[in-house]
Amino acid sequence: MEALARIRIVLVEPTHPGNVGAAARAMKTMGLRRLALVAPRDFPSEAAWARASGAEDVLEAAEVHPALETAVAGCGLVVGTSARARSLPWPAREPRAAAAEAVAEAAAGTEVAFVFGRERSGLTNAELDRCQRLLSIPTDPGFRSLNLAAAVQVVAYELHLAARAPAAPADTLEQPATAEELERFYAHLERVMVLVGFLDPANPRRLMRRMRRLFARARPERTEINILRGILTAVERCCRRRGES
Ligand code: SAH
C-alpha cells in the first residue's frame, strides 16, 4: 500500500464544494490521502466538510494551488482523465491499465498525479498537454460523463486493487523526468524549432502537441532529457556562431 502514498489526486477548478468532499471520501475509502485542488471555486467550505463524512482529514491536508503546473510539481507520471476523445488521438488507457502502471511506478519511487477536470467543461487541451497519459472510463457511448466524485471513485478503486496485487516491475529503469523538466524541455524544443525555421510561431499548436505525444509515449528518463537539452543548446550555439560569421 506504500505506493498509494505517492499518488495524488488533483481536481482542477472544482465548482461544487460537495464534489470536493465526496472526492475526499472516495479517496480515503481506497487508501488515497493526497488531494490537491487547483483554484477551487469555494474552499474551504461547509458543504465540502459535510460531504466528506469521515474524510475531513483528507480535506484538512489538501493542498490548494493557483495552477496545474505547481499541483503536479515533482511528478514523474501525470495521468489526465477525460470523458471525451481528443482531436489528436492521445494514448488513452482504461482505468485498470492506468492504475497498474501508476502503482508500479509509484512503488518504484515515482510521484504520480491523476488529474480531474471541471464539472462543466473538463480539462482544457493545454492542461491535457501536461499529461503523459489519458485515462478514459468506459461508459455507455451515448452518455460518457460521470459526476466528478464518481469518476474519482472509479479511479481510486482501481488504484486500490492494483496496490493489493503483487507489484509489477515498472517500465522506467531510472528516474523519469518530472513534469517541470518536461515542460522546460518542450519550451526549449519549441524555441529551437522556431530558431531553425522549422516551426512557424504563428501556427505552432499541432506540431508541439505531436512532439508531446511522442515523448509521452517514450517516457524519457531525466538523463535522457538532459542529453536532448544539451543537443538543443548545441544547435542554438551553432546558429549563433553562424549568425556572427
Ligand atoms: N462535460 C465535461 C465533463 C466533465 S465531468 C467534459 O466533456 O469533459 C468532470 C470530470 O470527471 C472530467 O473532467 C473527468 O476528470 C472526470 N470524468 C467524467 N467522466 C469521465 C470518464 N468517462 N472517463 C474519465 N474521466 C471522467
Side-chain angles (χ1 to χ4, degrees), residues 81-84 115-123 135-139 144-148 151:
T81 62
S82 174
R84 283 169 303 163
V115 184
F116 294 80
R118 300 156 187 83
E119 288 93 336
R120 253 171 203 274
S121 53
L123 294 167
L135 181 159
S136 195
I137 301 166
T139 60
R144 290 183 189 276
S145 177
L146 278 77
N147 162 265
L148 173 59

Side-chain angles (χ1 to χ4, degrees), residues 221-238:
E221 293 167 7
R222 173 172 289 166
T223 45
E224 293 165 337
I225 283 294
N226 287 341
I227 293 168
L228 290 167
R229 294 279 313 261
I231 295 171
L232 293 172
T233 303
V235 171
E236 284 173 320
R237 253 190 242 125
C238 182

Side-chain angles (χ1 to χ4, degrees), residues 4 7-11 22-23 26-32 34 78-83 93-103 112-117 133-138 146-163:
L4 295 182
I7 301 179
R8 67 186 85 165
I9 298 293
V10 181
L11 307 183
M27 288 169 60
K28 188 172 174 182
T29 54
M30 297 299 147
L32 291 163
R34 290 175 59 193
V78 181
V79 183
T81 62
S82 174
R93 305 258 159 114
E94 293 199 353
R96 197 147 298 175
E101 180 185 40
V103 166
V112 179
F114 281 79
V115 184
F116 294 80
R133 298 283 183 263
L134 178 63
L135 181 159
S136 195
I137 301 166
L146 278 77
N147 162 265
L148 173 59
V152 171
Q153 184 73 77
V154 170
V155 171
Y157 173 64
E158 290 295 341
L159 288 167
H160 182 79
L161 289 189

